[in-house]
Amino acid sequence: VGDVRLDLAYERDGPTLSWRMTPTTGRSPPMLVFGPIVPGRVSDVHLDDETVDAATHPGPNGGTRVPFQFPLDRPRTVTIRLVEPD
């Protein structure tokens, strides 16, 4: 398949975490295995404008691991919303 390069941008706005991934070089769209550990419990996960049914797992220090995969066939945005504390 060969090497693939991408640009990655991360942003946090309160309980909303966003990652924007843009492929820059490489052949055939790679399948990206994405598995961030986020600080807290997850409310919902979106890939672009679609809800993702991601299986979550306990992470360190009360965080949550959110693994899923998707083709990086165009610029993609992953958005994870956290459950806000009471």
Side-chain angles (χ1 to χ4, degrees):
V1 172
D3 291 336
V4 174
R5 292 182 188 251
L6 62 95
D7 289 335
L8 174 66
Y10 168 78
E11 183 178 314
R12 180 169 184 173
D13 183 15
T16 303
L17 315 171
S18 298
W19 293 261
R20 179 149 178 89
M21 291 148 271
T22 305
T24 56
T25 62
R27 289 191 275 162
S28 71
M31 185 63 74
L32 184 63
V33 178
F34 189 71
I37 297 173
V38 298
R41 293 184 301 129
V42 172
S43 171
D44 54 86
V45 179
H46 294 259
L47 177 61
D48 300 324
D49 294 326
E50 301 290 323
T51 300
V52 174
D53 187 17
T56 60
H57 306 282
N61 301 318
T64 303
R65 186 168 169 265
V66 188
F68 67 103
Q69 58 186 358
F70 53 90
L72 191 57
D73 53 351
R74 62 185 184 277
R76 309 299 294 257
T77 300
V78 173
T79 304
I80 298 176
R81 263 190 284 280
L82 302 176
V83 174
E84 295 193 60
D86 295 332

Coordinates of all heavy atoms in Angstrom, one line a residue:
V1 N 0.8 -1.2 0.0 CA 0.0 0.0 0.0 C 0.9 1.2 0.0 O 0.6 2.2 -0.7 CB -1.0 0.0 1.2 CG1 -1.7 1.3 1.3 CG2 -1.9 -1.1 1.1
G2 N 1.9 1.3 0.8 CA 2.8 2.4 0.8 C 2.6 3.4 1.9 O 1.7 3.2 2.8
D3 N 3.3 4.4 2.0 CA 3.2 5.4 3.0 C 2.0 6.4 2.8 O 1.7 6.6 1.6 CB 4.5 6.3 3.0 CG 5.7 5.6 3.6 OD1 5.5 4.6 4.3 OD2 6.8 6.0 3.2
V4 N 1.5 6.8 3.8 CA 0.4 7.8 3.8 C 0.7 8.9 4.8 O 1.2 8.6 5.9 CB -1.0 7.1 4.2 CG1 -2.1 8.2 4.3 CG2 -1.3 6.0 3.2
R5 N 0.5 10.1 4.4 CA 0.7 11.2 5.3 C -0.6 12.0 5.4 O -1.4 12.0 4.5 CB 1.7 12.2 4.7 CG 3.1 11.5 4.8 CD 4.1 12.5 4.3 NE 5.4 11.8 4.1 CZ 6.4 12.0 4.9 NH1 6.4 12.9 5.9 NH2 7.5 11.3 4.7
L6 N -0.8 12.6 6.6 CA -2.0 13.4 6.8 C -1.8 14.5 7.7 O -0.8 14.5 8.4 CB -3.1 12.5 7.4 CG -2.9 11.8 8.8 CD1 -3.5 12.7 9.9 CD2 -3.5 10.5 8.8
D7 N -2.6 15.5 7.6 CA -2.6 16.7 8.5 C -3.6 16.4 9.6 O -4.7 15.9 9.3 CB -3.0 18.0 7.8 CG -1.9 18.5 6.9 OD1 -0.7 18.1 7.1 OD2 -2.2 19.2 5.9
L8 N -3.3 16.7 10.8 CA -4.2 16.5 11.9 C -4.3 17.7 12.8 O -3.3 18.4 13.1 CB -3.6 15.3 12.8 CG -4.4 15.0 14.1 CD1 -5.8 14.5 13.8 CD2 -3.6 14.1 15.0
A9 N -5.6 18.1 13.0 CA -5.8 19.3 13.9 C -6.8 18.8 15.0 O -7.7 18.1 14.8 CB -6.5 20.4 13.1
Y10 N -6.5 19.3 16.2 CA -7.4 19.0 17.4 C -7.9 20.3 18.0 O -7.2 21.3 18.1 CB -6.5 18.2 18.4 CG -7.2 18.1 19.8 CD1 -8.2 17.1 20.0 CD2 -6.9 18.9 20.8 CE1 -8.8 17.0 21.2 CE2 -7.5 18.8 22.1 CZ -8.5 17.9 22.2 OH -9.1 17.8 23.4
E11 N -9.1 20.2 18.4 CA -9.7 21.4 19.1 C -10.7 20.9 20.2 O -11.3 19.9 20.0 CB -10.6 22.1 18.0 CG -11.2 23.4 18.6 CD -11.9 24.1 17.5 OE1 -11.4 24.3 16.4 OE2 -13.1 24.5 17.7
R12 N -10.7 21.6 21.3 CA -11.6 21.4 22.4 C -12.4 22.6 22.7 O -11.9 23.7 22.8 CB -10.9 20.9 23.6 CG -11.9 20.6 24.7 CD -11.3 19.9 25.9 NE -12.4 19.5 26.9 CZ -12.2 18.8 27.9 NH1 -11.0 18.3 28.2 NH2 -13.2 18.5 28.7
D13 N -13.8 22.4 22.8 CA -14.6 23.5 23.2 C -15.6 23.0 24.2 O -16.6 22.3 23.9 CB -15.4 24.0 22.0 CG -16.3 25.2 22.3 OD1 -16.1 25.8 23.4 OD2 -17.2 25.5 21.5
G14 N -15.2 23.2 25.5 CA -16.0 22.6 26.6 C -16.0 21.1 26.5 O -14.9 20.5 26.5
P15 N -17.2 20.5 26.5 CA -17.3 19.1 26.5 C -17.2 18.5 25.1 O -17.3 17.3 24.9 CB -18.7 18.8 27.0 CG -19.5 20.0 26.6 CD -18.5 21.1 26.7
T16 N -16.9 19.3 24.1 CA -16.8 18.8 22.7 C -15.3 18.8 22.2 O -14.6 19.8 22.2 CB -17.6 19.7 21.7 OG1 -19.0 19.7 22.2 CG2 -17.6 19.2 20.3
L17 N -14.9 17.6 21.8 CA -13.5 17.3 21.3 C -13.6 17.0 19.8 O -14.5 16.2 19.4 CB -12.9 16.1 22.0 CG -13.1 16.1 23.6 CD1 -12.6 14.8 24.1 CD2 -12.3 17.2 24.2
S18 N -12.8 17.7 19.0 CA -12.8 17.5 17.6 C -11.4 17.2 17.0 O -10.5 17.9 17.4 CB -13.5 18.7 16.9 OG -14.8 18.9 17.3
W19 N -11.3 16.3 16.1 CA -10.1 16.0 15.4 C -10.4 16.1 13.9 O -11.4 15.5 13.4 CB -9.6 14.6 15.6 CG -9.1 14.4 17.0 CD1 -7.8 14.4 17.5 CD2 -9.9 14.0 18.2 NE1 -7.8 14.1 18.8 CE2 -9.1 13.8 19.3 CE3 -11.3 13.8 18.4 CZ2 -9.5 13.5 20.5 CZ3 -11.7 13.5 19.6 CH2 -10.9 13.3 20.7
R20 N -9.7 16.9 13.1 CA -9.9 17.0 11.7 C -8.6 16.3 11.0 O -7.5 16.8 11.3 CB -10.0 18.4 11.2 CG -10.2 18.5 9.7 CD -11.0 19.7 9.3 NE -11.1 19.8 7.9 CZ -12.1 19.2 7.2 NH1 -13.0 18.4 7.7 NH2 -12.1 19.4 5.9
M21 N -8.9 15.3 10.2 CA -7.8 14.6 9.5 C -7.9 14.8 8.0 O -9.0 14.6 7.5 CB -7.8 13.1 9.9 CG -7.5 12.9 11.3 SD -8.3 11.5 12.0 CE -9.8 12.2 12.7
T22 N -6.8 15.3 7.4 CA -6.9 15.5 6.0 C -5.7 14.7 5.3 O -4.5 15.0 5.7 CB -6.7 17.0 5.7 OG1 -7.7 17.7 6.3 CG2 -6.7 17.3 4.2
P23 N -6.0 13.8 4.4 CA -4.9 13.0 3.8 C -4.2 14.0 2.8 O -4.8 14.8 2.2 CB -5.6 11.9 3.0 CG -7.0 12.4 2.8 CD -7.3 13.3 4.0
T24 N -2.8 13.9 2.9 CA -2.0 14.8 2.0 C -1.3 14.1 0.9 O -1.1 14.6 -0.2 CB -1.1 15.7 2.9 OG1 -0.2 14.8 3.6 CG2 -1.8 16.6 3.8
T25 N -0.8 12.9 1.2 CA -0.1 12.1 0.2 C -0.4 10.6 0.5 O -0.7 10.2 1.6 CB 1.4 12.3 0.2 OG1 1.9 11.8 1.5 CG2 1.8 13.7 0.0
G26 N -0.2 9.8 -0.6 CA -0.4 8.4 -0.5 C -1.4 7.9 -1.5 O -2.2 8.6 -2.0
R27 N -1.3 6.6 -1.8 CA -2.2 6.0 -2.7 C -3.3 5.3 -2.0 O -3.2 5.0 -0.8 CB -1.5 4.9 -3.5 CG -0.5 5.5 -4.5 CD 0.0 4.5 -5.5 NE 1.1 3.8 -4.9 CZ 1.6 2.6 -5.2 NH1 1.0 1.9 -6.2 NH2 2.6 2.1 -4.6
S28 N -4.4 5.0 -2.7 CA -5.6 4.3 -2.2 C -5.9 4.8 -0.8 O -5.1 4.9 0.1 CB -5.5 2.8 -2.3 OG -4.6 2.3 -1.3
P29 N -7.2 5.0 -0.5 CA -7.5 5.5 0.8 C -7.2 4.5 1.9 O -7.6 3.3 1.8 CB -9.0 5.8 0.8 CG -9.4 5.6 -0.6 CD -8.3 4.9 -1.4
P30 N -6.4 4.9 2.9 CA -6.1 4.0 4.0 C -7.3 3.8 5.0 O -8.2 4.7 5.1 CB -5.0 4.6 4.7 CG -5.2 6.1 4.5 CD -5.8 6.2 3.1
M31 N -7.4 2.7 5.7 CA -8.3 2.5 6.7 C -7.7 3.0 8.0 O -6.6 2.5 8.4 CB -8.7 1.1 6.9 CG -9.8 0.8 7.9 SD -11.4 1.6 7.5 CE -12.0 0.5 6.2
L32 N -8.2 4.1 8.6 CA -7.6 4.7 9.8 C -8.2 4.0 11.0 O -9.4 4.0 11.2 CB -7.9 6.2 9.8 CG -7.2 7.0 10.9 CD1 -5.7 6.9 10.8 CD2 -7.6 8.4 10.9
V33 N -7.3 3.5 11.8 CA -7.7 3.0 13.1 C -7.5 4.1 14.2 O -6.4 4.5 14.4 CB -6.9 1.7 13.5 CG1 -7.3 1.2 14.9 CG2 -7.1 0.7 12.4
F34 N -8.6 4.6 14.7 CA -8.6 5.8 15.6 C -9.0 5.4 16.9 O -10.1 4.7 17.1 CB -9.5 6.9 15.0 CG -9.4 8.2 15.6 CD1 -8.3 9.0 15.5 CD2 -10.5 8.7 16.4 CE1 -8.2 10.3 16.0 CE2 -10.4 9.9 17.0 CZ -9.3 10.7 16.8
G35 N -8.3 5.7 18.0 CA -8.6 5.2 19.3 C -8.2 6.2 20.4 O -7.4 5.8 21.2
P36 N -8.8 7.4 20.4 CA -8.3 8.3 21.5 C -8.8 7.9 22.8 O -9.8 7.2 23.0 CB -9.0 9.6 21.0 CG -10.2 9.2 20.3 CD -9.8 7.9 19.6
I37 N -8.1 8.3 23.8 CA -8.5 8.2 25.2 C -8.9 9.6 25.6 O -8.1 10.5 25.6 CB -7.4 7.6 26.1 CG1 -7.1 6.2 25.7 CG2 -7.9 7.7 27.6 CD1 -5.9 5.6 26.4
V38 N -10.2 9.8 26.0 CA -10.7 11.1 26.3 C -11.0 11.2 27.8 O -11.2 10.2 28.5 CB -12.0 11.4 25.5 CG1 -11.7 11.4 24.0 CG2 -13.1 10.4 25.8
P39 N -11.0 12.4 28.4 CA -11.1 12.6 29.8 C -12.6 12.7 30.3 O -13.2 13.7 30.3 CB -10.4 14.0 30.1 CG -10.7 14.7 28.8 CD -10.7 13.7 27.7
G40 N -13.1 11.5 30.6 CA -14.5 11.5 31.1 C -15.3 10.5 30.4 O -14.8 9.7 29.6
R41 N -16.6 10.5 30.6 CA -17.6 9.6 29.9 C -18.0 10.2 28.6 O -18.2 11.4 28.5 CB -18.7 9.3 30.9 CG -18.3 8.5 32.1 CD -19.5 8.1 33.0 NE -20.2 9.3 33.4 CZ -21.6 9.5 33.3 NH1 -22.3 8.6 32.8 NH2 -22.1 10.6 33.7
V42 N -18.3 9.3 27.7 CA -18.7 9.8 26.3 C -20.2 9.8 26.2 O -20.9 8.9 26.5 CB -18.1 8.8 25.3 CG1 -18.6 9.2 23.9 CG2 -16.6 8.9 25.3
S43 N -20.7 11.0 25.7 CA -22.1 11.1 25.4 C -22.4 10.6 24.0 O -23.3 9.8 23.8 CB -22.5 12.6 25.5 OG -23.8 12.8 25.0
D44 N -21.7 11.1 23.0 CA -21.9 10.6 21.6 C -20.6 10.9 20.8 O -19.8 11.7 21.1 CB -23.1 11.3 21.0 CG -23.1 12.8 21.0 OD1 -22.5 13.4 20.1 OD2 -23.6 13.4 22.0
V45 N -20.6 10.1 19.7 CA -19.4 10.2 18.7 C -20.0 10.4 17.3 O -20.9 9.7 16.9 CB -18.6 8.8 18.8 CG1 -17.4 8.9 17.8 CG2 -18.1 8.5 20.2
H46 N -19.3 11.3 16.6 CA -19.7 11.5 15.2 C -18.5 11.5 14.3 O -17.4 11.9 14.6 CB -20.3 12.9 15.1 CG -21.6 13.1 15.8 ND1 -22.8 13.0 15.2 CD2 -21.9 13.2 17.1 CE1 -23.8 13.1 16.1 NE2 -23.3 13.3 17.2
L47 N -18.7 10.9 13.1 CA -17.7 11.0 12.0 C -18.4 11.9 10.9 O -19.4 11.5 10.4 CB -17.4 9.6 11.5 CG -16.5 9.6 10.3 CD1 -15.1 10.2 10.6 CD2 -16.3 8.1 9.8
D48 N -17.8 13.0 10.7 CA -18.4 14.0 9.9 C -19.8 14.3 10.5 O -19.9 14.7 11.6 CB -18.4 13.6 8.4 CG -17.0 13.4 7.9 OD1 -16.1 14.1 8.3 OD2 -16.8 12.5 7.1
D49 N -20.9 14.1 9.7 CA -22.2 14.4 10.3 C -23.0 13.2 10.7 O -24.2 13.3 11.0 CB -23.0 15.2 9.2 CG -22.5 16.6 9.0 OD1 -21.9 17.2 9.9 OD2 -22.5 17.0 7.8
E50 N -22.3 12.0 10.7 CA -23.0 10.8 11.0 C -22.6 10.3 12.4 O -21.5 10.4 12.8 CB -22.6 9.7 10.0 CG -22.9 10.0 8.6 CD -24.4 10.0 8.3 OE1 -25.1 9.1 8.9 OE2 -24.9 10.8 7.5
T51 N -23.6 9.8 13.2 CA -23.4 9.3 14.5 C -22.7 7.9 14.3 O -23.0 7.1 13.4 CB -24.7 9.1 15.2 OG1 -25.4 10.3 15.4 CG2 -24.5 8.5 16.6
V52 N -21.7 7.7 15.1 CA -20.9 6.4 15.1 C -21.3 5.6 16.4 O -21.4 6.2 17.5 CB -19.4 6.7 15.2 CG1 -18.6 5.5 15.3 CG2 -19.0 7.5 13.9
D53 N -21.6 4.4 16.2 CA -21.8 3.5 17.3 C -20.5 2.8 17.7 O -20.2 1.7 17.4 CB -22.8 2.4 16.8 CG -23.3 1.5 18.0 OD1 -23.1 1.9 19.2 OD2 -23.8 0.4 17.8
A54 N -19.7 3.6 18.4 CA -18.4 3.2 18.8 C -18.5 2.5 20.2 O -19.1 3.0 21.1 CB -17.4 4.4 18.9
A55 N -17.8 1.4 20.3 CA -17.8 0.7 21.6 C -16.7 1.4 22.4 O -15.6 1.6 22.0 CB -17.4 -0.8 21.4
T56 N -17.1 1.8 23.6 CA -16.2 2.5 24.4 C -15.7 1.6 25.5 O -16.3 0.6 25.9 CB -16.8 3.7 25.1 OG1 -17.9 3.3 25.9 CG2 -17.3 4.7 24.0
H57 N -14.5 1.9 26.0 CA -13.8 1.0 27.1 C -13.2 2.0 28.1 O -12.8 3.1 27.8 CB -12.7 0.2 26.5 CG -13.2 -0.6 25.3 ND1 -13.9 -1.8 25.5 CD2 -13.0 -0.4 24.0 CE1 -14.1 -2.3 24.3 NE2 -13.6 -1.5 23.3
P58 N -13.2 1.5 29.4 CA -12.6 2.4 30.4 C -11.2 2.6 30.1 O -10.4 1.7 29.7 CB -12.8 1.5 31.7 CG -13.9 0.5 31.4 CD -13.8 0.3 29.9
G59 N -10.8 3.9 30.3 CA -9.4 4.2 30.1 C -8.7 4.6 31.5 O -9.4 4.6 32.5
P60 N -7.5 5.1 31.5 CA -6.8 5.4 32.7 C -7.4 6.7 33.3 O -8.0 7.6 32.6 CB -5.4 5.6 32.3 CG -5.5 5.9 30.8 CD -6.7 5.2 30.3
N61 N -7.3 6.8 34.6 CA -7.7 8.0 35.3 C -9.1 8.5 35.1 O -9.4 9.7 35.0 CB -6.7 9.2 35.0 CG -5.3 8.9 35.4 OD1 -5.0 8.3 36.4 ND2 -4.4 9.2 34.5
G62 N -10.1 7.5 35.0 CA -11.5 7.9 34.8 C -11.8 8.3 33.3 O -12.9 8.7 33.1
G63 N -10.9 8.1 32.4 CA -11.1 8.4 31.0 C -11.8 7.3 30.3 O -12.1 6.3 30.9
T64 N -12.0 7.5 29.0 CA -12.7 6.5 28.2 C -11.9 6.4 26.9 O -11.6 7.4 26.2 CB -14.2 7.0 27.8 OG1 -14.9 7.2 29.1 CG2 -14.9 5.9 27.0
R65 N -11.7 5.1 26.5 CA -11.1 4.8 25.2 C -12.2 4.6 24.2 O -13.2 4.0 24.4 CB -10.2 3.6 25.3 CG -9.5 3.3 24.1 CD -8.4 2.2 24.3 NE -7.9 1.8 23.0 CZ -8.3 0.7 22.3 NH1 -9.3 0.0 22.8 NH2 -7.7 0.4 21.2
V66 N -12.0 5.3 23.0 CA -13.1 5.3 22.0 C -12.5 4.8 20.7 O -12.2 5.5 19.8 CB -13.7 6.7 21.8 CG1 -14.9 6.7 20.9 CG2 -14.0 7.4 23.1
P67 N -12.4 3.4 20.5 CA -11.8 2.9 19.3 C -12.8 2.7 18.2 O -13.9 2.2 18.4 CB -11.2 1.6 19.7 CG -12.1 1.1 20.8 CD -12.6 2.4 21.5
F68 N -12.5 3.1 17.0 CA -13.2 2.7 15.8 C -12.3 3.0 14.6 O -11.3 3.6 14.7 CB -14.6 3.4 15.7 CG -14.5 4.9 15.5 CD1 -14.8 5.5 14.3 CD2 -14.3 5.8 16.6 CE1 -14.8 6.9 14.1 CE2 -14.2 7.1 16.4 CZ -14.5 7.7 15.2
Q69 N -12.8 2.6 13.4 CA -12.0 2.8 12.2 C -12.9 3.2 11.1 O -14.1 3.0 11.0 CB -11.2 1.5 11.8 CG -12.1 0.3 11.6 CD -11.2 -1.0 11.3 OE1 -10.0 -0.9 11.3 NE2 -11.9 -2.1 11.2
F70 N -12.2 3.9 10.1 CA -12.9 4.5 9.0 C -11.9 4.7 7.9 O -10.7 4.9 8.1 CB -13.7 5.7 9.4 CG -12.8 6.8 10.0 CD1 -12.2 7.7 9.3 CD2 -12.6 6.8 11.4 CE1 -11.4 8.7 9.9 CE2 -11.8 7.7 12.0 CZ -11.2 8.7 11.3
P71 N -12.4 4.8 6.6 CA -11.5 5.1 5.5 C -11.2 6.6 5.5 O -12.1 7.4 5.7 CB -12.3 4.7 4.3 CG -13.8 4.8 4.7 CD -13.8 4.5 6.2
L72 N -9.9 6.9 5.3 CA -9.5 8.3 5.2 C -9.5 8.6 3.7 O -8.4 8.9 3.1 CB -8.2 8.5 5.9 CG -7.7 9.9 6.1 CD1 -8.7 10.7 6.9 CD2 -6.4 10.0 6.7
D73 N -10.7 8.6 3.1 CA -10.8 8.8 1.7 C -11.0 10.3 1.3 O -11.1 10.6 0.1 CB -11.9 8.0 1.1 CG -13.2 8.2 1.9 OD1 -13.2 8.9 2.9 OD2 -14.3 7.7 1.4
R74 N -11.1 11.2 2.3 CA -11.3 12.6 2.1 C -11.0 13.2 3.5 O -10.9 12.5 4.5 CB -12.7 12.9 1.6 CG -13.8 12.5 2.6 CD -15.2 12.7 2.0 NE -16.2 12.4 2.9 CZ -16.7 11.2 3.1 NH1 -16.2 10.1 2.5 NH2 -17.7 11.0 4.0
P75 N -11.0 14.5 3.6 CA -10.9 15.1 4.9 C -12.1 14.7 5.8 O -13.2 14.6 5.3 CB -11.0 16.6 4.6 CG -10.5 16.8 3.2 CD -11.0 15.6 2.5
R76 N -11.7 14.3 7.0 CA -12.8 13.7 7.9 C -12.6 14.4 9.2 O -11.6 14.8 9.6 CB -12.6 12.2 8.2 CG -12.4 11.3 6.9 CD -13.6 11.3 6.0 NE -14.8 10.8 6.5 CZ -15.3 9.6 6.3 NH1 -14.6 8.7 5.5 NH2 -16.4 9.1 6.8
T77 N -13.8 14.6 9.9 CA -13.8 15.2 11.3 C -14.5 14.2 12.2 O -15.6 13.7 12.0 CB -14.6 16.5 11.3 OG1 -13.9 17.4 10.4 CG2 -14.6 17.1 12.7
V78 N -13.8 13.9 13.3 CA -14.3 13.1 14.4 C -14.7 14.0 15.5 O -13.8 14.9 15.9 CB -13.3 12.0 14.9 CG1 -13.8 11.3 16.1 CG2 -13.0 11.0 13.8
T79 N -15.9 13.9 16.0 CA -16.3 14.8 17.1 C -16.8 13.9 18.2 O -17.7 13.0 18.0 CB -17.4 15.7 16.7 OG1 -17.0 16.5 15.6 CG2 -17.9 16.7 17.8
I80 N -16.3 14.1 19.4 CA -16.7 13.3 20.6 C -17.2 14.3 21.6 O -16.5 15.2 22.0 CB -15.6 12.5 21.2 CG1 -15.1 11.5 20.2 CG2 -16.0 11.8 22.5 CD1 -13.9 10.6 20.6
R81 N -18.5 14.1 22.1 CA -19.0 14.9 23.1 C -19.0 14.1 24.4 O -19.4 13.0 24.5 CB -20.5 15.3 22.8 CG -20.5 16.7 22.2 CD -22.0 17.2 22.1 NE -22.7 16.5 21.0 CZ -22.6 16.9 19.7 NH1 -21.8 17.9 19.4 NH2 -23.3 16.3 18.8
L82 N -18.5 14.8 25.5 CA -18.4 14.2 26.8 C -19.7 14.5 27.6 O -20.3 15.5 27.4 CB -17.2 14.7 27.5 CG -15.9 14.5 26.8 CD1 -14.8 15.2 27.7 CD2 -15.6 13.1 26.6
V83 N -20.0 13.6 28.5 CA -21.1 13.8 29.5 C -20.6 14.9 30.4 O -19.5 14.8 31.0 CB -21.4 12.5 30.3 CG1 -22.4 12.8 31.4 CG2 -21.9 11.4 29.3
E84 N -21.3 16.0 30.6 CA -21.0 17.1 31.5 C -21.2 16.6 32.9 O -22.3 16.1 33.2 CB -21.7 18.3 31.1 CG -21.3 18.8 29.7 CD -21.8 20.3 29.5 OE1 -21.4 21.1 30.3 OE2 -22.5 20.5 28.5
P85 N -20.3 16.9 33.8 CA -20.5 16.6 35.2 C -21.7 17.4 35.8 O -22.0 18.5 35.4 CB -19.2 17.0 35.9 CG -18.4 17.7 34.9 CD -19.1 17.6 33.6
D86 N -22.4 16.7 36.8 CA -23.5 17.4 37.4 C -23.1 18.6 38.2 O -22.1 18.8 38.7 CB -24.2 16.4 38.4 CG -24.8 15.3 37.6 OD1 -25.2 15.5 36.4 OD2 -24.9 14.2 38.1

